[in-house]
C-alpha cells in the first residue's frame, strides 16, 4: 500500500498546484477596476480556489501518512468541488454568451446597447441602488481622464480603439450628433431625441455618461471579456482536476485492493 499511498499523495500535490490558477483568476478579477466596482465573480472564484487547495492538502496528508478517513474525505469533498467548478464554468459561459459591440460610421471603436446582454447581467446594473454604488466607484477612476491625455484631435479619437467602458461612460452616443471638443467634452447635439442617453450626457467631469444605459452596457461588455478569459482558465483547470481526481480514485482503489490482498496472505480473511 505504501507505493499507492505515495502516488495518492503526489497526485494531491498536483491538485494543490491546480488551485493556484483558480485563486489567481479570482485575484486578477478583483484587481480589474470594473470587477472591483461590481464585486460579483471574484470572491466565489477565490473561495472555490482556496477550498480546492484545502481539500487537496487534506488528500496529500492522507496519502503520505496513510490516513484512510482523510482520503475518503478528500474523494467526497473534491468531487463536490469539481461539480461546483463545472457549474461555475457553465454559468459564466451562459451569462456571457450574449452581447457584442456595434460599429458606428467613421468610428474605430464600438458602441454597446444594454438590451444585447443576458437578463442576469442586466439585473446586476439596472436597479438604481446597485448602479448608484457602481457609478460612484467608476467615476472615481481615471479611465476617462486618460482619454483627454491621449487624444487631442477629433480624428485621432475617432480612430482610437478604446475600451467598452470608456466608449459607454466617457462620451455621448454617436447617434446623438454631438460635436467633439475633447474626448470628455462635447457640444451642440444634432438629434437629442435619438436616444435617452443623449439627454443623460453631461460635460461635468464627474457626471459625463455615467448615468447612461450605454455606460451600463460598456461595463457589461468589459465584464464579459474579462469573465470569458477567466472562464478559459477555470475550464482548463477543471479538465486537469478531473484527470487528477480519476487517477487518484484508481490509486485509492488499488491501495485498498493491495491492503485486502496483504491481509489475505497474512491469514486475516
Amino acid at each position: 500500500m505504501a507505493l499507492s499511498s505515495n502516488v495518492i499523495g503526489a497526485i494531491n500535490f498536483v491538485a494543490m498546484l491546480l488551485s493556484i490558477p483558480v485563486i489567481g483568476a479570482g485575484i486578477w478579477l478583483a484587481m480589474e477596476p470594473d470587477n472591483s466596482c461590481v464585486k460579483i465573480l471574484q470572491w466565489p472564484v477565490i473561495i472555490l480556489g482556496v477550498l480546492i487547495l484545502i481539500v487537496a492538502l487534506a488528500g496529500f496528508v492522507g496519502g503520505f501518512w496513510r490516513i484512510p478517513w482523510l482520503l475518503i474525505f478528500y474523494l467526497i469533498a473534491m468531487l463536490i468541488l469539481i461539480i461546483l467548478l463545472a457549474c461555475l464554468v457553465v454559468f459564466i459561459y451562459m451569462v456571457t454568451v450574449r452581447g457584442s459591440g456595434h460599429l458606428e460610421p467613421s468610428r474605430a471603436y464600438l458602441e454597446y446597447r444594454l438590451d444585447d446582454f443576458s437578463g442576469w447581467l442586466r439585473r446586476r446594473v439596472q436597479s438604481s441602488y446597485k448602479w448608484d454604488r457602481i457609478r460612484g466607484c467608476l467615476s472615481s477612476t481615471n479611465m476617462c481622464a486618460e482619454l483627454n491625455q491621449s487624444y487631442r484631435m477629433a480624428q485621432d479619437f475617432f480612430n482610437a480603439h478604446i475600451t467598452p467602458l470608456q466608449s459607454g461612460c466617457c462620451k455621448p452616443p454617436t447617434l446623438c450628433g454631438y460635436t467633439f471638443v475633447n474626448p470628455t467634452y462635447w457640444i451642440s447635439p444634432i438629434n437629442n431625441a435619438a436616444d435617452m442617453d443623449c439627454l443623460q450626457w453631461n460635460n461635468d467631469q464627474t457626471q459625463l455618461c455615467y448615468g447612461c444605459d450605454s455606460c451600463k452596457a460598456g461595463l457589461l461588455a468589459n465584464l464579459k471579456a474579462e469573465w470569458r478569459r477567466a472562464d478559459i482558465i477555470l475550464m482548463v483547470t477543471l479538465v486537469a482536476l478531473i484527470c487528477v481526481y480519476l487517477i487518484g480514485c484508481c490509486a485509492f482503489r488499488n491501495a485498498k485492493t493491495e491492503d485486502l490482498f496483504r491481509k489475505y496472505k497474512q491469514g486475516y480473511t
Side-chain angles (χ1 to χ4, degrees):
M1 184 176 175
L3 179 60
S4 294
S5 296
N6 290 339
V7 170
I8 294 172
I11 288 168
N12 285 295
F13 178 74
V14 175
M16 289 168 57
L17 295 180
L18 288 174
S19 70
I20 295 174
V22 179
I23 297 171
I27 293 174
W28 172 71
L29 287 174
M31 293 176 65
E32 292 297 306
D34 48 352
N35 272 283
S36 64
C37 289
V38 178
K39 298 178 181 176
I40 299 175
L41 189 63
Q42 57 265 46
W43 284 113
V45 173
I46 291 173
I47 291 170
L48 190 56
V50 170
L51 290 176
I52 291 172
L53 175 63
I54 293 171
V55 170
L57 180 61
F60 177 78
V61 173
F64 271 112
W65 277 270
R66 305 175 193 174
I67 307 173
W69 68 266
L70 205 53
L71 288 174
I72 294 171
F73 164 76
Y74 157 77
L75 291 174
I76 296 172
M78 187 58 76
L79 178 60
I80 294 172
L81 291 176
I82 287 174
I83 292 172
L84 289 175
L85 182 57
C87 291
L88 183 60
V89 167
V90 173
F91 171 77
I92 293 172
Y93 173 78
M94 293 302 296
V95 299
T96 58
V97 73
R98 293 179 54 195
S100 58
H102 300 271
L103 285 169
E104 296 292 337
S106 304
R107 302 290 189 270
Y109 50 75
L110 301 176
E111 296 193 350
Y112 300 84
R113 298 173 189 143
L114 192 57
D115 290 339
D116 290 341
F117 294 88
S118 69
W120 188 88
L121 277 178
R122 289 201 307 270
R123 287 191 291 273
R124 306 283 75 80
V125 298
Q126 279 183 324
S127 77
S128 58
Y129 170 74
K130 291 178 181 177
W131 183 248
D132 285 345
R133 179 182 59 80
I134 297 171
R135 173 180 176 170
C137 179
L138 292 176
S139 63
S140 67
T141 67
N142 63 348
M143 63 173 181
C144 293
E146 289 175 352
L147 296 178
N148 290 332
Q149 297 170 4
S150 302
Y151 306 105
R152 302 289 184 182
M153 306 298 293
Q155 199 57 47
D156 292 339
F157 180 70
F158 297 154
N159 291 332
H161 295 278
I162 59 178
T163 68
L165 199 55
Q166 290 173 324
S167 174
C169 303
C170 302
K171 64 170 191 59
T174 299
L175 52 78
C176 302
Y178 277 87
T179 300
F180 177 95
V181 176
N182 68 42
T184 60
Y185 197 93
W186 302 70
I187 59 174
S188 307
I190 296 172
N191 188 11
N192 253 342
D195 193 297
M196 287 299 296
D197 286 350
C198 300
L199 300 174
Q200 292 285 346
W201 171 256
N202 193 318
N203 283 315
D204 183 338
Q205 297 300 292
T206 62
Q207 300 293 322
L208 300 178
C209 219
Y210 290 118
C212 302
D213 281 350
S214 64
C215 186
K216 297 175 183 179
L219 172 63
L220 296 186
N222 255 40
L223 292 181
K224 174 186 173 179
E226 291 163 4
W227 288 14
R228 277 296 181 89
R229 287 196 286 270
D231 202 34
I232 292 171
I233 296 172
L234 297 180
M235 184 169 59
V236 172
T237 304
L238 173 64
V239 173
L241 269 178
I242 291 173
C243 294
V244 167
Y245 181 79
L246 292 176
I247 295 171
C249 287
C250 291
F252 182 74
R253 184 184 63 186
N254 290 340
K256 296 297 289 184
T257 302
E258 289 173 9
D259 193 41
L260 287 172
F261 184 68
R262 180 178 56 81
K263 289 180 179 179
Y264 175 77
K265 287 178 66 176
Q266 293 175 353
Y268 290 129
T269 58

